[in-house]
Amino acid sequence: MTIIKAFKLKIKKIIPIHIWNFLRTIRSRIPGFKDFRYLLMLSINTKNRLIYFLFTIPYLEKKDFVKLSDYVIKYPKDVTVLAKENRNYQYSSPNFVNKKNNETTDIRHVLITNVYDIILHNATIIAESNVILLNNDLAIYELKYLDPTSNFYYSADSGIIYYDNDRFLTPRNNQIVNLESGIKLVANYSLNYFHFLNEVISIFFFIERLKIDIRIPILVDESCKEISQFLELINTFNEQNREIIYVKREVNYKIESLYYFGFGNIIVPHYINNAKILAKDNLFDSRVIEFIRTKFLTENTTTEYHKKIYLSRLNSGQRRKFNEDEVLSVMDKYGVVTIYPENYSISEQAQIFNEATHIIGATGAAFTNVLFCNKNCKILCFTNFDIPISVFPTLAQSVGADIKYIYDETKIVHKYTNLHESFTVDIKLLEVFLSNWIID
């Protein structure tokens, strides 16, 4: 789904059908009225009370982004600082087999200064969102201030309907739940395994590090209850048996003392220009990677798994479809066993990846598990474009595994490229590569 289509679907959920039909009508009749985004822009910037009261007030709220470090200085009575540090992050570029001039795949480091772990007083959160609403019509969305090229697309977040510079529109939820305290584990894309593990579960590292009072409950998106592997992750890391409060959609949760921790890992939700993606956009804290890895790999198991595995995407819907039948034929020749990661618990997946000597498959959330690999593991990932997205290379390099990519050379990257587009694996290239790569 393109960003524009996703944006329209989000608006349709908020705006009543008669307003939606009205917008579609005036779109066709008024020259220069491209679509409803124009009206959203007016709602943010106009001083025209008619537009603001007829459109924005019933359905949306206008807020201003504020950098957390600035908020701490300006409103010291509204915060309690738990910790402040300069945090070291790392990234590694992908290595494409069929590309001559690859970036270096060495681990590179980025230092981010003044990262806060903090208690925000009288803050409001929204389900499946990284936005935190504050007093004075302000809001924290720290990813905005970790975007040096202004290429991140923020409206993929359920709490941001439209934004323009430092101002944005957020859904107006009339139902409000008041809580005394809570630790924010609510996050954008929390239904995706990669995001859930690296953005949500990573917070437990800071909870343990700062020895947060066990009476403080954790706040988790209610939608995560439907996924057994996510419940397994929560139960594994919630060793102190904190109370879990599940945050519902279309409800604002106002918390007297909200515990908020600076990014464990920095993950970009979407891009404005896919031709300008940089490897350093996504950053990982090596301490967090080791923390997650250790939780699962300390368990002793007597189960033995296959050493050479192929991660099938046959059950993964229509995203990034490719000539998998042809690829499977090649896998059979080399004794590579096909598995379906979604059929295993997280602890089983961790063990499977840790015991593997060779892992092959098409890019997708299952490759999150490369953080459990052993240092001698070889990984081959199929993808559509030669885009320097660094998430899986960084996880692999962090544990000493060797990851390589094969991309579809017929695909050209442009600004509006669909990153989930179907592609074709060059079978001849694959066979030549495997003949030297897989050694019994």
Side-chain angles (χ1 to χ4, degrees):
M1 182 184 296
T2 65
I3 289 176
I4 298 300
K5 287 183 179 179
F7 181 83
K8 289 182 178 180
L9 286 174
K10 183 188 290 189
I11 292 296
K12 288 183 74 173
K13 290 180 181 179
I14 296 171
I15 300 175
I17 189 63
H18 65 280
I19 298 293
W20 177 260
N21 289 335
F22 169 72
L23 291 175
R24 294 185 67 181
T25 300
I26 62 174
R27 176 185 179 181
S28 62
R29 295 183 181 180
I30 300 179
F33 191 96
K34 299 295 183 182
D35 53 37
F36 48 78
R37 284 177 297 168
Y38 180 75
L39 191 53
L40 292 176
M41 181 184 71
L42 287 178
S43 297
I44 285 182
N45 297 309
T46 189
K47 295 181 180 179
N48 186 312
R49 289 181 175 272
L50 180 61
I51 291 177
Y52 186 71
F53 280 95
L54 288 181
F55 183 70
T56 308
I57 290 289
Y59 318 112
L60 304 168
E61 293 184 82
K62 187 190 299 184
K63 301 287 183 180
D64 289 312
F65 294 119
V66 61
K67 191 174 182 179
L68 181 57
S69 57
D70 293 339
Y71 186 78
V72 170
I73 294 171
K74 190 171 183 179
Y75 301 99
K77 293 182 180 180
D78 292 337
V79 303
T80 301
V81 176
L82 300 172
K84 176 187 174 184
E85 66 176 340
N86 298 331
R87 197 164 289 174
N88 189 25
Y89 294 90
Q90 61 188 34
Y91 70 97
S92 176
S93 300
N95 182 0
F96 295 96
V97 172
N98 49 335
K99 183 178 179 179
K100 292 182 179 180
N101 299 314
N102 283 291
E103 296 181 34
T104 177
T105 58
D106 294 341
I107 290 283
R108 286 170 283 180
H109 298 272
V110 175
L111 184 68
I112 296 181
T113 59
N114 299 326
V115 179
Y116 284 89
D117 300 320
I118 199 166
I119 302 174
L120 296 164
H121 301 298
N122 298 314
T124 299
I125 62 171
I126 305 166
E128 299 170 27
S129 174
N130 289 333
V131 170
I132 301 174
L133 305 179
L134 306 167
N135 295 325
N136 306 308
D137 288 327
L138 299 175
I140 289 171
Y141 183 74
E142 283 296 272
L143 190 63
K144 173 179 170 56
Y145 302 100
L146 298 170
D147 179 10
T149 60
S150 300
N151 194 35
F152 301 172
Y153 181 74
Y154 313 134
S155 284
D157 190 293
S158 66
I160 303 174
I161 300 304
Y162 181 85
Y163 66 93
D164 183 23
N165 294 318
D166 289 332
R167 186 160 289 178
F168 75 103
L169 296 175
T170 191
R172 181 181 294 277
N173 296 321
N174 293 321
Q175 186 176 349
I176 297 174
V177 172
N178 293 295
L179 299 174
E180 183 178 331
S181 63
I183 300 170
K184 184 181 183 296
L185 269 65
V186 169
N188 185 27
Y189 286 128
S190 58
L191 285 177
N192 177 283
Y193 174 48
F194 169 77
H195 288 274
F196 188 76
L197 187 66
N198 288 291
E199 294 184 84
V200 176
I201 295 301
S202 64
I203 299 302
F204 281 100
F205 170 78
F206 301 99
I207 295 173
E208 290 191 16
R209 180 184 178 218
L210 295 173
K211 298 180 173 59
I212 303 301
D213 190 331
I214 61 171
R215 293 171 296 179
I216 308 300
I218 55 176
L219 310 174
V220 181
D221 286 305
E222 185 181 48
S223 51
C224 296
K225 290 172 65 177
E226 307 301 319
I227 305 173
S228 61
Q229 287 93 338
F230 287 15
L231 290 177
E232 178 192 357
L233 283 169
I234 293 170
N235 292 332
T236 298
F237 286 86
N238 186 25
E239 294 178 322
Q240 296 177 312
N241 293 316
R242 295 176 185 273
E243 178 189 0
I244 302 172
I245 297 175
Y246 287 102
V247 174
K248 299 179 180 180
R249 292 170 177 167
E250 300 180 5
V251 178
N252 278 12
Y253 288 76
K254 189 170 184 178
I255 301 117
E256 289 182 30
S257 296
L258 177 67
Y259 288 69
Y260 172 69
F261 301 94
F263 287 100
N265 300 308
I266 299 166
I267 314 295
V268 181
H270 270 302
Y271 291 93
I272 295 170
N273 186 341
N274 289 326
K276 293 185 177 181
I277 293 174
L278 302 175
K280 63 182 179 181
D281 289 337
N282 296 280
L283 301 171
F284 293 81
D285 187 328
S286 60
R287 300 172 303 171
V288 172
I289 294 173
E290 185 60 26
F291 171 76
I292 294 173
R293 176 182 169 86
T294 303
K295 285 288 184 183
F296 283 101
L297 296 183
T298 52
E299 297 180 6
N300 294 320
T301 178
T302 56
T303 305
E304 291 189 4
Y305 296 99
H306 297 287
K307 302 299 182 184
K308 295 183 287 189
I309 59 173
Y310 171 76
L311 313 176
S312 177
R313 285 186 58 86
L314 288 176
N315 299 327
S316 301
Q318 297 302 310
R319 299 174 80 179
R320 290 187 293 269
K321 298 291 285 185
F322 64 104
N323 52 328
E324 188 162 14
D325 289 343
E326 290 183 280
V327 170
L328 286 170
S329 297
V330 177
M331 296 300 105
D332 291 340
K333 292 181 184 179
Y334 289 91
V336 179
V337 177
T338 300
I339 70 165
Y340 301 86
E342 65 272 17
N343 293 338
Y344 296 90
S345 68
I346 301 300
S347 58
E348 288 171 330
Q349 291 182 47
Q351 200 63 39
I352 289 170
F353 275 70
N354 186 252
E355 293 186 12
T357 59
H358 296 77
I359 299 171
I360 305 171
T363 184
F367 272 85
T368 304
N369 292 321
V370 299
L371 69 86
F372 299 119
C373 287
N374 65 73
K375 65 180 181 179
N376 298 313
C377 184
K378 295 181 177 181
I379 306 161
L380 178 62
C381 184
F382 309 132
T383 190
N384 39 22
F385 300 98
D386 63 332
I387 295 176
I389 294 178
S390 61
V391 291
F392 300 138
T394 305
L395 292 177
Q397 289 278 22
S398 296
V399 301
D402 178 30
I403 185 169
K404 289 182 169 57
Y405 282 76
I406 290 178
Y407 74 99
D408 187 340
E409 296 182 55
T410 67
K411 299 287 185 181
I412 306 297
V413 182
H414 55 78
K415 180 177 181 178
Y416 298 112
T417 289
N418 178 6
L419 298 184
H420 303 299
E421 192 173 302
S422 299
F423 63 98
T424 301
V425 176
D426 185 329
I427 298 301
K428 289 184 178 179
L429 171 64
L430 175 61
E431 293 223 46
V432 170
F433 177 77
L434 291 182
S435 65
N436 297 310
W437 187 70
I438 292 188
I439 301 175
D440 292 327

